[in-house]
Amino acid sequence: MSFISKSFIKLVFLLALTSQSAWAQLSVSPKRVIFEGRERAQELLLINTGNKTKKYRIGFKQLKMNTAGGYETAVNSDDSLFASDAVRFSPRQVTLEPGQSQTVRLLVRKPKNFVDGEYRSHLTFSEIPSDDDQFGVPKNDAPQGFAFRMRPLLGISIPIIVRQGKLSQAVSIKKPTIGGNVVNLELHREGQASVYGEIKVDFKPQGAGQEVTLGVVKGVSVLPPLDWRKVTVPLSEQIKNLGEGELHITYSNLEVKSAGKMPILSEQVIKL
C-alpha cells in the first residue's frame, strides 16, 4: 500500500472520530420546532458543552426524507413546501465559549400566498473551523512535492415546521417482520401533516406472565411529501429466550401527551 493510501485511510478515520465527537460538544434544544395556529415566535437554546471556544454559522437547508429514513437535498420540483419562506431567525452566527449558551430566536412572517399545508426547512448549525482545527498529512511525513491540509466543516440540523390550516394526520404500521435481533417494518403516513413518534416492541407471553419491553426507538418521523419509510427496531437479547406469545408493536405520538401518556397512533402484532 502506498504512503498516500495509508495516510488517506488514517485521515478518514480521524475525521470520522472528529465528526462523531464534535457534536457531543454542541447541545441544541429543542430538537424540533413546530409553529401551529397563531403561534409566531419560538426560541432555541445552544450550549457549548465542550472545552474549546467554537464558532457556528446558522442557516436554512432544504432536505427531504427518503424511504430509508435518511435525508437528501430537496428542490422545488419535489413538491415540498419550505418553511424558510416564512421563518426568520437571529443571530446568523454565534461564538460560544466552553459552557456558554446562546438563544436563537425564530419568528414567523407568512407571505400573502401562504396556502394550507405543512412547510418544512432544516435549520443547520455549521462549525466554522479555527486554525487549530486543521487536519492533514504532516509536512515532514509527506513525500517530496506532496502535502495537504483539510478543514472539516461539521454540521447538525433540526426541522423547523410551519403548519397552515387544519391538517389531517394518520399513520399505520405495515409489514412487520423479525430478522435476528431486530424488527423490520414500514411506517405509512396519510394526510397533509408529518408524524413524529416512538416505536415500542413488547413481548406478551401466552397465558399468564409478565410483559417485557424488548426495544424502543424514539423520534421516528415520516415527513411530507414522503408517504412511507422503513424502520428497524433493535431488540434486546431476551428475544432468544422467550417462549410462545406475541410481539406487540406500537407507534405513539410524541407531539401530544394526555395525562402524561402518548396517544397510540398505530399498532401491530407478530405471533411467536
Side-chain angles (χ1 to χ4, degrees):
M1 182 181 291
S2 68
F3 170 83
I4 296 178
S5 298
K6 291 180 180 179
S7 299
F8 182 76
I9 292 173
K10 290 179 180 178
L11 177 60
V12 170
F13 179 71
L14 178 60
L15 293 180
L17 291 179
T18 302
S19 62
Q20 291 173 4
S21 63
W23 291 112
Q25 301 175 14
L26 179 65
S27 172
V28 181
S29 180
K31 304 296 185 185
R32 195 169 185 260
V33 175
I34 299 178
F35 290 93
E36 292 186 285
R38 297 184 178 181
E39 193 170 22
R40 292 293 179 266
Q42 292 199 45
E43 293 182 347
L44 294 170
L45 182 64
L46 311 182
I47 303 176
N48 181 356
T49 59
N51 57 12
K52 292 183 179 180
T53 298
K54 296 289 186 179
K55 294 182 179 180
Y56 300 96
R57 182 177 295 111
I58 306 172
F60 274 122
K61 281 189 177 180
Q62 314 304 348
L63 302 175
K64 63 178 181 179
M65 179 175 279
N66 58 36
T67 55
Y71 290 95
E72 304 170 354
T73 301
V75 294
N76 289 329
S77 60
D78 290 324
D79 296 327
S80 298
L81 301 174
F82 300 133
S84 57
D85 296 335
V87 178
R88 303 293 178 262
F89 63 89
S90 178
R92 295 183 175 271
Q93 183 171 311
V94 298
T95 300
L96 299 176
E97 297 179 359
Q100 185 179 8
S101 62
Q102 170 72 52
T103 297
V104 177
R105 294 175 174 82
L106 304 171
L107 179 66
V108 170
R109 294 180 178 175
K110 299 178 182 178
K112 292 182 179 179
N113 60 344
F114 217 58
V115 298
D116 288 356
E118 180 173 290
Y119 296 73
R120 186 190 72 257
S121 294
H122 280 73
L123 195 63
T124 299
F125 305 87
S126 301
E127 183 181 352
I128 304 173
S130 65
D131 292 338
D132 295 335
D133 294 327
Q134 296 181 8
F135 296 92
V137 176
K139 291 183 179 179
N140 57 350
D141 291 336
Q144 185 176 4
F146 175 78
F148 67 90
R149 300 187 71 84
M150 294 185 67
R151 307 181 74 180
L153 187 61
L154 308 172
I156 189 173
S157 63
I158 64 170
I160 308 297
I161 294 171
V162 179
R163 288 175 177 161
Q164 172 73 9
K166 295 182 178 180
L167 309 181
S168 60
Q169 179 191 68
V171 66
S172 57
I173 299 171
K174 295 186 178 182
K175 301 180 181 179
T177 58
I178 301 176
N181 280 22
V182 302
V183 166
N184 296 301
L185 57 88
E186 294 179 1
L187 275 183
H188 288 248
R189 181 192 62 82
E190 296 180 2
Q192 303 102 322
S194 61
V195 293
Y196 178 71
E198 170 188 286
I199 297 179
K200 185 179 178 184
V201 179
D202 295 315
F203 172 73
K204 293 185 176 182
Q206 184 174 344
Q210 186 176 2
E211 183 175 318
V212 180
T213 297
L214 299 178
V216 177
V217 179
K218 296 184 178 181
V220 181
S221 58
V222 187
L223 304 176
L226 190 69
D227 293 328
W228 71 278
R229 59 165 288 191
K230 301 175 184 177
V231 181
T232 296
V233 182
L235 304 178
S236 70
E237 292 293 325
Q238 291 174 284
I239 186 68
K240 298 179 180 179
N241 302 316
L242 299 177
E244 293 185 351
E246 60 184 28
L247 294 185
H248 187 209
I249 307 168
T250 58
Y251 181 76
S252 302
N253 193 346
L254 281 174
E255 290 184 8
V256 179
K257 289 186 178 181
S258 177
K261 296 183 178 180
M262 298 176 294
I264 295 176
L265 298 179
S266 182
E267 50 191 330
Q268 277 279 11
V269 171
I270 300 177
K271 294 186 179 294
L272 298 181

